[in-house]
Amino acid sequence: EILSGLVGSEMCIRDSSDPALQQTRAKILSPLGAAVSKSTEKAEVLACTDDLSPNTLSRTNQSIRVQDMTLETERLLLRPWQATDAADLYEYAKDARVGPIAGWPPHTSVENSADIIRTVFNHPEVYAVELKENRRAVGCVGILIGSNSNFEISEQEGEIAYWIGVPYWGKGLTPEAVREVMRHAFENLNLKALWCGYFANNIQSYAAQSKCGFRFHHTEENKYNQFLQDYRTEHISRITYQEWLDHTKE
């Protein structure tokens, strides 16, 4: 649960040629709560077919640039992060009520937030949550596919990570954003299942997952968090493609 704006200014992740730093970045995509180190600047999109079985899925030759992908809901635009979002990101990610509960430290400056936008957030399937009414980036949501996830999942599965600024808690914006990303993951990326995690004291995150149809799968205890240097209990939820279809009909 780290896609949150996550890394402190002391953490250097600029040298993408260093395998060790790549691995570190893969575990810090967290203004959301996630990790995206192995992604390239282009996202390959799985072709949609009538038969969604793994044997019939093929990858298209066409790629979508990170800056081109935008998703939309009634109140939100989910779009790539931009350099001009740094002040908004800092405004919400500096709040100690946001990051630590999701496992990452608060941002320390606008420059810190700008660096995270250039590095951690500059990957396919990582979206700024922009509120239509004021055009501000008020949170983050993303899909961490396969080996980019914080969980041990297949390349046909993804982890949903998210967070939103405190002034927008309790307004239903997080489930709204997550539902649209789930639709995109299943319908456009053809993923077979989605996973989500929340730490034991993060009741807000649990509520958002439940509203979106995720079901409890298992609990991992005494997990070491390298960013805050503590041990936590994390509850893991999952939803399959068929379960998602059934949930959307309810």
Side-chain angles (χ1 to χ4, degrees), residues 65-135:
R65 294 182 302 169
V66 176
Q67 60 265 36
D68 288 343
M69 175 59 75
T70 298
L71 305 173
E72 185 173 1
T73 70
E74 180 182 354
R75 295 178 291 175
L76 305 170
L77 289 177
L78 310 181
R79 43 92 176 157
W81 284 90
Q82 303 166 357
T84 52
D85 294 322
D88 285 343
L89 176 56
Y90 176 60
E91 175 68 22
Y92 301 115
K94 70 180 180 181
D95 194 318
R97 291 171 291 180
V98 177
I101 199 171
W104 47 274
H107 289 202
T108 58
S109 65
V110 173
E111 291 73 23
N112 177 208
S113 294
D115 190 48
I116 288 170
I117 289 173
R118 286 192 300 268
T119 54
V120 181
F121 288 175
N122 186 28
H123 292 276
E125 307 305 336
V126 178
Y127 302 94
V129 177
E130 179 182 301
L131 196 60
K132 288 181 179 179
E133 69 179 31
N134 61 16
R135 311 299 295 187

Side-chain angles (χ1 to χ4, degrees), residues 230-244:
D230 59 12
Y231 289 87
R232 301 184 175 208
T233 294
E234 185 172 16
H235 303 298
I236 315 300
S237 303
R238 186 186 72 161
I239 186 169
T240 65
Y241 173 68
Q242 185 59 53
E243 289 170 342
W244 172 75

Side-chain angles (χ1 to χ4, degrees), residues 104-231:
W104 47 274
H107 289 202
T108 58
S109 65
V110 173
E111 291 73 23
N112 177 208
S113 294
D115 190 48
I116 288 170
I117 289 173
R118 286 192 300 268
T119 54
V120 181
F121 288 175
N122 186 28
H123 292 276
E125 307 305 336
V126 178
Y127 302 94
V129 177
E130 179 182 301
L131 196 60
K132 288 181 179 179
E133 69 179 31
N134 61 16
R135 311 299 295 187
R136 297 189 67 182
V138 300
C140 187
V141 65
I143 311 168
L144 310 173
I145 299 174
S147 58
N148 286 322
S149 170
N150 293 294
F151 310 133
E152 294 184 4
I153 59 179
S154 78
E155 294 302 316
Q156 293 177 325
E157 300 177 332
E159 174 189 353
I160 301 293
Y162 53 85
W163 64 267
I164 197 163
V166 172
Y168 303 98
W169 287 5
K171 300 181 184 297
L173 294 174
T174 296
E176 185 173 328
V178 171
R179 288 190 188 104
E180 175 58 16
V181 168
M182 292 171 67
R183 182 203 63 77
H184 169 59
F186 285 126
E187 292 187 351
N188 298 333
L189 302 181
N190 292 330
L191 297 183
K192 296 172 57 180
L194 293 172
W195 298 77
C196 222
Y198 66 94
F199 293 120
N201 61 341
N202 194 345
I203 304 303
Q204 301 98 313
S205 185
Y206 167 74
Q209 293 175 30
S210 297
K211 291 177 182 178
C212 295
F214 281 90
R215 300 178 180 179
F216 172 77
H217 189 271
H218 68 279
T219 295
E220 297 181 4
E221 298 181 348
N222 296 319
K223 291 185 64 176
Y224 181 68
N225 182 299
Q226 61 179 313
F227 310 111
L228 297 179
Q229 298 182 351
D230 59 12
Y231 289 87

